Amino acid sequence: MLGPLLFHIYINDLDCNIQNWILKFADDTKFFSRIKDQNDQDRLQQDLFKLIMWSKEWQMMFNVSKCKVMHIGKSYVQGQYYMMNHQLEEVVDEKDLGIMITRDLKVS
């Protein structure tokens, strides 16, 4: 098992060549982008593919069944996204670090 410092060194290059925003906290990764059109959707999907390629190269696979999509805001372009040929589940709320976040960004 990797220690915390070694783990952070190990995943340091996870965001190389990624065009969208990515946040890493411990063993949790969040990936987000503003989607205005099909080109933005394609760019996000391509970045998801890059993450999968990184995970295969470093033999550190994502648990795709835990990966989800949340469309935030009142007006958004709704798209479907895939990792390893698995369509990511769309959710309207998600618990993160003990806080429930909803698609309108209200927290509880």
Side-chain angles (χ1 to χ4, degrees):
M1 189 168 256
L2 296 175
L5 179 59
L6 187 56
F7 178 77
H8 283 284
I9 292 170
Y10 194 72
I11 68 165
N12 190 49
D13 68 338
L14 175 69
D15 50 359
C16 288
N17 300 316
I18 299 294
Q19 297 180 38
N20 293 289
W21 292 287
I22 189 168
L23 299 173
K24 299 176 280 188
F25 179 76
D27 65 345
D28 190 35
T29 304
K30 291 190 181 28
F31 198 68
F32 59 99
S33 178
R34 182 174 183 182
I35 305 295
K36 296 181 282 185
D37 55 29
Q38 185 64 46
N39 288 335
D40 293 337
Q41 287 180 331
D42 293 343
R43 190 175 308 111
L44 183 60
Q45 182 60 60
Q46 187 64 24
D47 282 349
L48 289 170
F49 176 74
K50 290 176 187 175
L51 288 177
I52 293 299
M53 295 308 294
W54 177 93
S55 72
K56 287 180 179 179
E57 179 181 349
W58 290 101
Q59 299 176 7
M60 201 167 178
M61 302 308 290
F62 287 94
N63 186 344
V64 177
S65 64
K66 289 185 176 182
C67 297
K68 299 177 180 137
V69 173
M70 181 184 294
H71 297 102
I72 296 176
K74 293 180 181 177
S75 62
Y76 52 86
V77 178
Q78 201 155 352
Q80 297 175 344
Y81 300 96
Y82 298 84
M83 291 178 81
M84 295 174 28
N85 297 322
H86 173 82
Q87 182 177 341
L88 300 181
E89 175 188 0
E90 182 180 345
V91 296
V92 295
D93 55 24
E94 183 67 22
K95 193 171 191 174
D96 184 41
L97 300 174
I99 299 171
M100 187 62 73
I101 301 173
T102 62
R103 72 170 10 153
D104 60 2
L105 294 179
K106 293 183 180 175
V107 296
S108 59

